């Protein structure tokens, strides 16, 4: 499941973090979240018709209480809508490489929040923060060729402000993951994934109407240069991205519940490697890159993988994939060293 999460989010964010000149930025996010809701609706209808899953495991199989609904509302805004919006704002002046590096600080914020505010936080081996530091430096080396410092449209102070927005988005995702792990276990994984998508899409839609319409010329500047082929390509990419994100978020909340927020957020390091690998193999991002930079990138990718391994599995702790004794439901558990 963790490998699937890394690949799905890596593919989805390759489109999400790409500057879009066809549709206004916040409208793009709103359309993408709309496709996510559509896929969730299709899944619910098919699952109920074919009885693929028990009713209580389906999204909103049980009607959530008022408190649970409020928690889902906060999760949808703080964990989905605001991070996407902040990145879209920052991408105007911040390069893809810098955004990717800063977003890998999610697990670090999760650790900090757990230590400061969660009284019954799980004990953590010292190798985990060490592995995160190693992975972080590996990501920096891997992303050097993606960092663009030639943007003359923004001053240094403006660029710093946009960088802080990206850090804020990473902090929100890290904190919300810990809160979902500790206080929202009574909701099913699919309810968490679909619920945050519903409230996040409502927030983003309101934001897109209020911001994109107030841009110079509003939508007219985009419509004048929009062709039928561009629109079809945009809708296809958005649909595929929404499908990957829909499955990815469902896996994320499942792993967030069974192995913990801090461990599952390690995907942030490996997700960026998937992004870089796609750029190298398919989009030819290495054209014009010096041989030394290529060696540094490969070295950084290896260091990132090693650091992520230390975060997920260290001496004295290993994961076993078993079935729960009563329900037979597959789950991850921590086994003893000699087991």
């Amino acid at each position: 499941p963790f490998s699937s999460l890394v690949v799905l989010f890596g593919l989805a964010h390759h489109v999400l973090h790409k500057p879009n000149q066809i549709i206004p930025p916040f409208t793009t996010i709103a359309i993408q979240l709309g496709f996510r809701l559509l896929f969730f609706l299709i899944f619910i209808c098919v699952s109920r018709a074919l009885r693929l899953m028990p009713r209580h495991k389906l999204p909103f199989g049980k009607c959530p209480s008022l408190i649970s609904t409020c928690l889902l509302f906060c999760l949808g805004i703080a964990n989905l809508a605001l991070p996407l919006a902040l990145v879209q704002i920052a991408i105007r002046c911040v390069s893809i490489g810098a955004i990717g590096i800063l977003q890998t600080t999610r697990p670090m914020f999760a650790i900090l929040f757990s230590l400061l505010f969660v009284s019954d936080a799980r004990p953590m081996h010292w190798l985990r923060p060490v592995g995160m530091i190693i992975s972080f430096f590996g990501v920096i080396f891997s992303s050097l060729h993606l960092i663009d410092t030639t943007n003359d449209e923004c001053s240094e102070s403006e660029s710093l402000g946009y960088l802080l927005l990206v850090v804020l988005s990473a902090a929100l995702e890290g904190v919300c993951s810990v809160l979902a792990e500790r206080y929202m276990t009574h909701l099913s994984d699919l309810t968490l994934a679909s619920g945050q998508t519903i409230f996040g899409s409502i927030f983003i839609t309101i934001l897109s109407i209020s911001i994109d319409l107030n841009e110079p010329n509003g939508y007219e500047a985009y419509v004048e240069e929009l062709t039928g082929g561009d629109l079809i390509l945009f809708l296809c990419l958005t649909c595929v991205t929404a499908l990957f994100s829909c499955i990815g978020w469902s896996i994320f909340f499942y792993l967030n519940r069974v192995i913990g927020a801090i461990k599952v957020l390690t995907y942030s390091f490996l997700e960026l490697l998937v992004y870089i690998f796609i750029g190298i193999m398919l989009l030819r991002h290495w054209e014009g890159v010096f041989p030394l930079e290529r060696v540094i990138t490969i070295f950084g990718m290896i260091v990132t993988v090693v650091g992520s391994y230390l975060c997920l599995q260290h001496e004295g702790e290993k994961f076993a994939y078993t079935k729960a004794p009563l329900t037979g439901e597959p789950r991850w558990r921590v086994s003893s060293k000699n087991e």
Side-chain angles (χ1 to χ4, degrees):
F2 186 83
S3 302
S4 303
L5 175 69
V6 170
V7 174
L8 288 170
F9 274 176
L11 292 172
H13 288 190
H14 201 286
V15 180
L16 283 176
H17 290 176
K18 184 178 180 180
N20 174 41
Q21 302 297 335
I22 301 175
I23 303 294
F26 294 104
T27 304
T28 301
I29 301 176
I31 294 173
Q32 198 265 347
L33 293 181
F35 274 113
R36 286 197 208 181
L37 289 178
L38 177 62
F39 285 125
F40 275 120
L41 180 61
I42 294 174
F43 175 77
I44 293 172
C45 295
V46 172
S47 298
R48 287 188 174 180
L50 302 180
R51 297 181 180 179
L52 299 178
M53 297 179 66
R55 185 180 179 87
H56 68 277
K57 291 186 178 180
L58 290 172
F60 300 98
K62 295 181 179 180
C63 184
S65 63
L66 178 61
I67 296 177
S68 299
T69 304
C70 293
L71 290 175
L72 280 175
F73 175 78
C74 296
L75 186 69
I77 294 178
N79 193 45
L80 182 63
L82 279 180
L84 288 175
L86 292 175
V87 170
Q88 281 296 327
I89 294 173
I91 205 170
R92 301 174 182 178
C93 290
V94 181
S95 63
I96 298 294
I99 290 176
I101 291 172
L102 293 177
Q103 284 196 319
T104 59
T105 57
R106 295 169 183 142
M108 302 177 189
F109 283 109
I111 289 179
L112 184 62
F113 181 79
S114 297
L115 293 177
L116 294 178
F117 300 103
V118 180
S119 58
D120 56 343
R122 300 181 184 184
M124 182 174 54
H125 195 276
W126 63 270
L127 275 177
R128 188 162 303 147
V130 171
M132 289 183 183
I133 295 174
I134 293 174
S135 298
F136 183 71
F137 281 102
V139 163
I140 293 176
F141 288 125
S142 303
S143 307
L144 286 177
H145 68 287
L146 296 176
I147 298 177
D148 183 15
T149 58
T150 61
N151 191 344
D152 298 329
E153 297 181 1
C154 301
S155 62
E156 293 184 0
S157 59
E158 290 176 334
S159 299
L160 179 59
Y162 286 121
L163 289 174
L164 292 178
L165 290 181
V166 180
V167 174
L168 177 60
S169 71
L172 286 172
E173 292 186 66
V175 171
C176 289
S177 299
V178 175
L179 293 176
E181 175 200 353
R182 305 305 296 172
Y183 305 112
M184 303 184 72
T185 55
H186 59 287
L187 298 175
S188 68
D189 308 323
L190 290 174
T191 299
L192 288 173
S194 58
Q196 74 159 11
T197 304
I198 292 173
F199 292 112
S201 61
I202 294 173
F203 180 83
I204 284 294
T205 301
I206 297 174
L207 199 64
S208 65
I209 294 175
S210 60
I211 293 181
D212 289 340
L213 285 178
N214 291 326
E215 291 286 334
N217 298 326
Y219 288 90
E220 297 178 0
Y222 292 89
V223 173
E224 290 177 355
E225 300 179 359
L226 185 63
T227 63
D230 291 337
L231 182 60
I232 293 175
L233 179 61
F234 166 77
L235 291 177
C236 290
L237 288 176
T238 304
C239 183
V240 172
T241 304
L243 178 61
F244 289 159
S245 300
C246 183
I247 300 174
W249 275 114
S250 302
I251 297 175
F252 173 85
F253 283 112
Y254 168 72
L255 292 175
N256 195 62
R257 174 172 52 87
V258 297
I259 68 174
I262 295 175
K263 290 179 183 176
V264 73
L265 284 172
T266 309
Y267 86 86
S268 304
F269 302 112
L270 302 174
E271 168 200 38
L272 188 58
L273 296 192
V274 174
Y275 180 95
I276 295 172
F277 182 79
I278 294 174
I280 292 174
M281 299 302 296
L282 301 180
L283 304 181
R284 300 180 180 180
H285 283 176
W286 265 9
E287 291 185 355
V289 177
F290 295 107
L292 180 59
E293 291 180 322
R294 300 185 181 186
V295 173
I296 293 175
T297 299
I298 295 174
F299 171 75
M301 295 174 75
I302 295 174
V303 171
T304 303
V305 172
V306 172
S308 300
Y309 178 82
L310 293 177
C311 296
L312 290 171
Q313 185 174 355
H314 55 72
E315 186 179 0
E317 179 181 292
K318 59 181 180 180
F319 299 109
Y321 193 63
T322 61
K323 291 186 177 181
L326 297 178
T327 62
E329 180 182 358
R331 67 177 185 181
W332 285 96
R333 66 178 177 86
V334 179
S335 60
S336 62
K337 179 179 179 180
N338 297 322
E339 184 176 355

